[in-house]
Amino acid sequence: MTTVDSSSSATRTTCPYCGVGCGVLATPDRNGGAAIAGDPEHPANFGRLCSKGSALGETLGLEDRLLYPMIRCSKGTMERVAWSDALDHVAHRFAHIVKRDGPGAVAFYLSGQLLTEDYYVANKLMKGFIGSANVDTNSRLCMSSTVAGHRRAFGADTVPGCYEDLDAADLLVLVGSNAAWCHPVLFQRMLANKAERGARMVVIDPRRTDTAGDADLFLGLKPGTDTALFSGLLVHLADSGALDHAYIDSHTSGFEEALARARAIAGSIGATALATGLSEPDVANFFRMFANTPRVVTLFSQGVNQSAQGTDKVNAIINCHLATGRIGKPGASPLSLTGQPNAMGGREVGGLANQLAAHMAFTPPDIDRVRRFWKAPRIATHEGLKAVEMFEAIGRGEIKALWVMGTNPAVSLPDADAARASLKKLELFVVSENVRSNDTVNAGVHVLLPAQAWGEKSGTVTNSERRISRQRAFLNPPGEARPDWWIVGEVAKRLGFAAAFDFASVADVFREHAALSAFENNGARDFDIGVLQSLSDRAFDELEPVLWPMRLGDIGSQQRFFAEGGFFANDQRARFIAPDIPALRSETHAGRPLRLNTGRVRDQWHTMTRSGLSPRLGQHLPEPFVEVHPDDALRFGVFDGGFARVVTDYGQCTLRVAVSERQQRGMLFAPIHWSEASASAARVGALAAPFTDPFSGQPESKATPASIAPYEYVFRGFALSRVRLELPSHAWWARVTVAGGYSYLFADNADLAGWQSWLRSVAGPDFAEYKDFGGGVFRAASFAQGRIETCLFVGPARDAGDWNVVKSLFAMDALSDDQRRMLLSGKSTNGLASAGPIVCACFGVGRTSICDAIAAGAGTSAEIGAQLKAGTNCGSCIPELKQLIAQASVAGADQRQLARVAS
Ligand code: SF4
């Protein structure tokens, strides 16, 4: 295994979160941590990092790490075993089940956070040697509709453009993408283009997100109507003379059929407005902007992909770019923003059940080619089960062995309660993980294998623009953690495939992957990195970030695809696709009158197993919530700051209510990050319908019929502790990491005496308390070595104590007598005035401080930055700063109006 010299200077690596793929400089600190900075030379970010990337240094702790292989023993408990025993056991059990029930009875479920080399080895083992294509990945939930759309249109899963197009475009159209929160560094790049070159921005989303705050035009369309909007646009382009006939004639087919279907869906501006719920002037304005701007990039993300009509939506967008020839040209292209750091690497490898390998499909010539390359006579010959189908097959008992690598499907799959229940039926359930415990591990795992985490892993990842970057280790792996490619390879050897899995290093795996991409390729396939197949170990280690394709002799010469045609269908033409008439799969009705949209928040990632370790990142939106339009709040009797139960046909959650005009009437929004490990009743994946797109198999995560009703709690409160606590089972709670420990924000209806005895059971002997049971207030704290060990504040909503002030005291190493006396008052005091909920995660600047600065005259985000530093590092909070300025200006105008009326 690689040993890292922790005395060395910064290691150039990549961020493990989103598909922007930012370069990171990590400097180990000799205590197992590292200082983190953006890599100024990485072309994805040029030194910038967002709030998540900036806080990576806070996520390297070992507290939750899985350090040794473990197997469930006959008593039902998990016991530590030697690696050789764990690997023998996994191989033996897989072999037994395959022999008894055939290769279709086993499956791998992978992750867009695996490195390309991990993906390659897992895909090769399952498809090439076990002989099943039941290899799918959480990327199915992220961008598989884009893969299907690309393949239908281009004949291959090719991203035509690159990030430089964001600098060169005159019009940036963001569809179903909250880039300000989910791809912040690219969003800042777009804003720079806007500021420096005057590029305009159109944001298309049912929800008015922070991304819309900077838009020249915001189109808050009805959910599921993107296909209608882009069909209307295609008609407008045809009718207004904006088509590129030469491009259509020379390089495409199917235009007339697609246009006829578009006319049937949305044949005019009026029909488009009717179908999408937009105003005619807004539709006309967008169509005019698109038609009149040759340099246009349409960026799309989960709002397009996570839909039972996602592939059609992708193709409706691509149709407009093909029709105008605006593809693969500087500043002109469709561009999919991938959610995960290495979703693209997984696609390159073929780590999806409907791909074979290296952008080859399950066609007889491709199967034969890969069979010969891998020397794999048992290669799978047809597609496997996609994620949702795979878990349904597990539930039916058809798949009997599952190996999950680096992902948490018991939280993230739609209908997640059913997915979690299905895991209990497995005969063999293996998980490779960094953490000892999460919802998936706790769903009855039989074998736990400790995988290396970010910081310890070495290999490559590919970002949204096809740029391959090295992820380099800068920490030594703790315990017996191993690379995923090594773990899978060792099992493969024990299954009898030693010759095919004799990889000595990660560079060895990469060279084979690169060689396969070029094998009998000769320009027939888009994915070709053959020039890298002979890299020495040292050259691999020093590999600079590179865009593919990279054919022999032309490394770096091609940045984009398709400006001059050259598609990957047999006739080299792109296909216009006539989409189905758009219709959501499920109707709302009296019992489920709303639609639930799910998504992400700015400072968290997936199920928070990594980002949840950072105190900084936990402060922005610490509790699971549901966003509701004010009219719906009134209609359903819920109020801002209260609680509500959200119910669908699949599950229910209890969430804090955030009433917001950002939300459309009839829609709810809830973020997906909380799990059973981090909150009592907020597994939002359990609410989502498992409907899937017919082409991509991607589930509909954004339009599940739902109901909402108020849920009352008499008491609110919070606890802070140096160690994790188990709260009473009757409480609603959410856990958040804070400086020095953990905090639990909770609500409850049980009596205060119960909380008093609970606290006494978990707190130390140096104990102080304040109780006013008649007034519904109880506060207590225990101390050790002058600092707070545990504290608890419970009270009615108006008197539950100031969390921000108590957090500040909790973070201190020693409290003065005054501070100790003041603690149980829970109120602000000298030097500890509450800054309010954190807005700027980088500098810990709270909303109250920002509002004070605005009230004192700061009128721009730059002026706030000059005073408080907020927004001056990663820029992720700038949209929120602008919102607060706008709110203050509206409030000021209202006050002036009132004053005028009064006078
Ligand atoms: S934008 Fe943020 S989360 Fe995404 S790769 Fe860059 S630093 Fe990481």
Side-chain angles (χ1 to χ4, degrees):
M1 293 303 114
T2 316
T3 300
V4 175
D5 174 7
S6 63
S7 66
S8 61
S9 56
T11 299
R12 292 181 72 196
T13 184
T14 47
C15 174
Y17 292 123
C18 84
V20 176
C22 294
V24 168
L25 298 177
T27 311
D29 63 10
R30 294 168 185 257
N31 296 317
I36 298 294
D39 180 351
E41 288 170 28
H42 197 291
N45 58 318
F46 297 109
R48 268 192 180 278
L49 294 176
C50 75
S51 51
K52 293 185 284 287
S54 305
L56 273 166
E58 296 179 11
T59 67
L60 303 172
L62 299 181
E63 189 179 347
D64 295 327
R65 282 299 293 274
L66 173 66
L67 298 175
Y68 310 102
M70 302 181 93
I71 293 183
R72 191 170 297 282
C73 71
S74 53
K75 287 182 245 151
T77 52
M78 296 299 289
E79 305 225 325
R80 179 179 172 180
V81 295
W83 260 113
S84 55
D85 292 342
L87 297 165
D88 287 349
H89 181 80
V90 172
H92 171 76
R93 298 290 296 136
F94 260 101
H96 170 74
I97 292 168
V98 169
K99 187 167 175 204
R100 188 190 64 202
D101 301 311
V106 299
F108 290 170
Y109 189 65
L110 313 180
S111 163
Q113 292 176 286
L114 293 175
L115 302 185
T116 299
E117 294 73 17
D118 304 326
Y119 251 123
Y120 179 83
V121 175
N123 193 55
K124 180 179 179 183
L125 172 59
M126 183 57 90
K127 289 185 185 149
F129 291 82
I130 292 177
S132 163
N134 289 341
V135 184
D136 218 47
T137 156
N138 60 12
S139 299
R140 178 72 57 198
L141 317 179
C142 171
M143 39 87 272
S144 57
S145 291
T146 291
V147 176
H150 283 168
R151 289 169 81 183
R152 288 204 300 181
F154 308 146
D157 176 21
T158 315
V159 173
C162 59
Y163 291 169
E164 282 185 15
D165 296 329
L166 306 181
D167 311 328
D170 296 317
L171 177 64
L172 296 154
V173 181
L174 290 115
V175 196
S177 165
N178 185 6
W181 279 17
C182 300
H183 299 94
V185 165
L186 282 190
F187 187 66
Q188 293 299 322
R189 192 162 172 171
M190 292 181 239
L191 291 186
N193 181 3
K194 219 169 165 307
E196 289 158 20
R197 294 183 59 256
R200 287 167 304 161
M201 184 181 282
V202 177
V203 173
I204 300 167
D205 199 312
R207 189 167 161 250
R208 189 182 275 274
T209 62
D210 273 18
T211 303
D214 285 285
D216 297 279
L217 176 66
F218 169 65
L219 299 178
L221 78 186
K222 288 194 291 195
T225 61
D226 314 67
T227 299
L229 182 65
F230 282 88
S231 293
L233 175 59
L234 187 66
V235 172
H236 177 81
L237 295 170
D239 293 349
S240 62
L243 297 178
D244 184 337
H245 290 287
Y247 192 89
I248 294 170
D249 293 346
S250 305
H251 303 304
T252 72
S253 65
F255 176 70
E256 291 305 333
E257 295 88 326
L259 181 61
R261 181 66 56 79
R263 287 194 192 283
I265 293 171
S268 65
I269 287 173
T272 308
L274 200 63
T276 56
L278 298 168
S279 74
E280 287 194 28
D282 277 354
V283 172
N285 193 7
F286 169 50
F287 286 2
R288 213 169 23 246
M289 285 163 90
F290 195 104
N292 296 340
T293 314
R295 288 186 169 219
V296 54
V297 175
T298 305
L299 302 111
F300 51 96
S301 192
Q302 269 77 344
V304 168
N305 288 320
Q306 291 184 330
S307 161
Q309 307 82 32
T311 307
D312 274 353
K313 290 180 183 179
V314 169
N315 284 115
I317 291 168
I318 290 173
N319 282 348
C320 295
H321 280 269
L322 289 173
T324 48
R326 296 170 186 167
I327 187 161
K329 294 176 181 160
S333 238
L335 181 63
S336 144
L337 296 176
T338 51
Q340 303 195 79
N342 199 30
M344 289 283 282
R347 285 152 70 169
E348 289 160 8
V349 159
L352 288 157
N354 52 338
Q355 300 178 335
L356 178 54
H359 281 207
M360 285 179 271
F362 283 97
T363 61
D366 282 352
I367 294 167
D368 177 58
R369 186 176 299 113
V370 180
R371 175 194 283 126
R372 285 184 285 110
F373 182 86
W374 278 344
K375 301 184 180 58
R378 295 175 61 183
I379 194 167
T381 53
H382 54 82
E383 295 183 3
L385 296 174
K386 303 181 186 102
V388 173
E389 301 166 334
M390 182 185 282
F391 281 79
E392 287 170 351
I394 294 168
R396 291 192 300 272
E398 292 162 16
I399 290 179
K400 297 180 168 60
L402 176 71
W403 188 347
V404 173
M405 298 180 206
T407 181
N408 198 354
V411 182
S412 53
L413 279 169
D415 197 5
D417 284 346
R420 183 171 63 176
S422 73
L423 295 171
K424 304 250 187 241
K425 300 197 173 168
L426 288 163
E427 258 182 64
L428 175 63
F429 178 21
V430 183
V431 176
S432 307
E433 250 306 338
N434 299 158
V435 293
R436 283 192 306 265
S437 168
N438 64 28
D439 289 26
T440 299
V441 168
N442 299 341
V445 71
H446 301 133
V447 184
L448 262 176
L449 303 173
Q452 291 180 353
W454 183 77
E456 301 147 20
K457 291 163 80 123
S458 175
T460 58
V461 291
T462 307
N463 70 4
S464 296
E465 65 165 345
R466 291 176 273 106
R467 188 175 298 280
I468 297 172
S469 297
R470 285 280 283 112
Q471 199 171 96
R472 296 182 175 90
F474 57 90
L475 295 173
N476 286 314
E480 296 180 4
R482 296 282 187 272
D484 288 284
W485 65 265
W486 180 90
I487 300 170
V488 178
E490 289 300 305
V491 169
K493 288 174 190 168
R494 285 162 170 80
L495 286 167
F497 311 125
F501 291 86
D502 191 22
F503 299 113
S505 66
V506 70
D508 247 5
V509 182
F510 180 81
R511 285 187 283 263
E512 185 177 303
H513 166 59
L516 175 57
S517 77
F519 184 60
E520 298 176 359
N521 190 330
N522 303 318
R525 305 191 301 272
D526 62 338
F527 178 59
D528 187 343
I529 56 168
V531 75
L532 303 178
Q533 65 186 289
S534 309
L535 286 183
S536 66
D537 286 1
R538 183 167 175 185
F540 175 72
D541 205 35
E542 293 172 352
L543 184 66
E544 290 291 323
V546 279
L547 277 182
W548 61 261
M550 287 165 285
R551 298 187 176 92
L552 282 172
D554 71 351
I555 188 164
S557 69
Q558 183 181 343
Q559 273 192 300
R560 302 176 177 86
F561 284 89
F562 309 142
E564 306 297 330
F567 293 91
F568 292 96
N570 286 341
D571 59 4
Q572 300 201 334
R573 286 174 176 269
R575 299 283 181 277
F576 281 93
I577 301 295
D580 282 346
I581 307 287
L584 287 167
R585 278 278 295 277
S586 55
E587 292 299 328
T588 55
H589 52 83
R592 302 275 182 262
L594 302 164
R595 280 198 187 279
L596 175 68
N597 175 9
T598 67
R600 285 138 189 82
V601 300
R602 190 191 76 192
D603 288 352
Q604 294 296 349
W605 176 255
H606 280 197
T607 59
M608 301 201 285
T609 45
R610 182 183 296 114
S611 59
L613 302 175
S614 159
R616 262 202 274 174
L617 297 181
Q619 309 310 306
H620 182 231
L621 292 169
E623 290 176 300
F625 64 90
V626 56
E627 216 171 67
V628 192
H629 187 275
D631 291 354
D632 288 329
L634 209 60
R635 183 174 161 210
F636 295 103
V638 300
F639 61 92
D640 194 57
F643 288 87
R645 188 154 278 178
V646 178
V647 182
T648 69
D649 289 350
Y650 309 93
Q652 62 177 36
C653 289
T654 306
L655 305 166
R656 277 275 201 180
V657 175
V659 175
S660 170
E661 300 261 2
R662 294 148 60 105
Q663 200 53 38
Q664 227 177 71
R665 281 180 197 82
M667 295 278 299
L668 304 172
F669 171 82
I672 56 156
H673 306 289
W674 283 269
S675 66
E676 196 170 73
S678 55
S680 58
R683 297 174 72 248
V684 166
L687 302 176
F691 303 140
T692 56
D693 179 277
F695 306 101
S696 67
Q698 179 148 4
E700 169 73 272
S701 306
K702 294 194 169 282
T704 306
S707 60
I708 187 167
Y711 197 85
E712 302 284 343
Y713 285 111
V714 176
F715 298 115
R716 309 287 169 83
F718 56 87
L720 289 149
S721 173
R722 303 289 162 194
V723 295
R724 292 209 180 147
L725 300 171
E726 193 167 328
L727 261 63
S729 58
H730 43 75
W732 179 97
W733 59 267
R735 190 188 71 215
V736 54
T737 303
V738 297
Y742 304 93
S743 185
Y744 295 79
L745 300 160
F746 66 83
D748 194 30
N749 288 322
D751 64 31
L752 295 179
W755 279 103
Q756 185 181 32
S757 44
W758 173 80
L759 185 73
R760 286 178 176 174
S761 73
V762 297
D766 181 4
F767 191 82
E769 64 180 30
Y770 166 83
K771 67 180 175 192
D772 171 12
F773 283 2
V777 175
F778 175 69
R779 296 172 188 158
S782 71
F783 303 88
Q785 291 155 349
R787 65 176 193 169
I788 303 168
E789 272 306 288
T790 309
C791 66
L792 174 75
F793 282 66
V794 200
R798 66 178 185 289
D799 197 12
D802 188 328
W803 185 54
N804 291 302
V805 169
V806 180
K807 260 191 314 176
S808 308
L809 292 167
F810 181 77
M812 293 180 173
D813 284 338
L815 264 59
S816 67
D817 287 347
D818 272 358
Q819 284 168 332
R820 203 167 148 151
R821 269 193 298 280
M822 185 272 292
L823 167 69
L824 296 185
S825 78
K827 301 263 165 41
S828 308
T829 187
N830 286 348
L832 279 175
S834 172
I838 297 299
V839 173
C840 170
C842 295
F843 295 110
V845 186
R847 191 178 300 150
T848 308
S849 311
I850 293 164
C851 290
D852 288 348
I854 295 169
T860 64
S861 56
E863 285 169 9
I864 294 173
Q867 279 188 40
L868 303 172
K869 292 177 85 175
T872 58
N873 183 38
C874 72
S876 301
C877 66
I878 289 175
E880 201 165 332
L881 299 182
K882 288 179 181 170
Q883 237 177 51
L884 291 172
I885 294 165
Q887 280 166 9
S889 131
V890 170
D894 287 350
Q895 273 172 5
R896 285 192 294 280
Q897 175 70 11
L898 278 175
R900 270 198 296 276
V901 170
S903 64

